[in-house]
Amino acid sequence: QVQLVESGGGLVQAGGSLRLSCAASGGTFSGYAMGWFRQAPGKEREFVAGISWSGGNTNYADSVKGRFTISRDNGKKTAYLQMSSLKPEDTAVYYCAARWSYSGVLVQSNEYAYWGQGTQVTVSS
């Protein structure tokens, strides 16, 4: 079992950047596929980005392609989401998620077994 803690959220102006971190504990991090999801007020949780256990495969929602980059450092047991060219519509609570998996990138929320508590990202116009 793994515990996840996100950090790095905050308030940023449109066009700015933030880097979210997801620190894992209690498991063998390198065996977990990781994902980032977000949920805006009044909206359903949506997939943002995912990365395979090795970091060799990634997948992004169309809305963030070219602006966001997911990565991981298995030695530090941490996943990252680098967000650039932020837009007001990126405002949401961002969650990281994990699932023990060697089968690539997971994009559906119900495929993930473990979730962090979320970190707020607010982009002002």
Side-chain angles (χ1 to χ4, degrees), residues 96-120:
C96 69
R99 165 78 182 258
W100 183 267
S101 175
Y102 286 99
S103 60
V105 180
L106 308 178
V107 300
Q108 301 295 328
S109 61
N110 59 10
E111 294 181 291
Y112 286 90
Y114 305 103
W115 293 83
Q117 82 290 349
T119 185
Q120 177 71 46

Side-chain angles (χ1 to χ4, degrees), residues 19-53:
R19 188 177 81 156
L20 305 184
S21 298
C22 175
S25 61
T28 305
F29 183 72
S30 59
Y32 287 85
M34 301 296 295
W36 286 95
F37 291 76
R38 66 186 182 187
Q39 188 166 19
K43 295 187 177 181
E44 294 187 352
R45 189 172 298 188
E46 65 174 357
F47 171 78
V48 175
I51 189 167
S52 61
W53 67 274

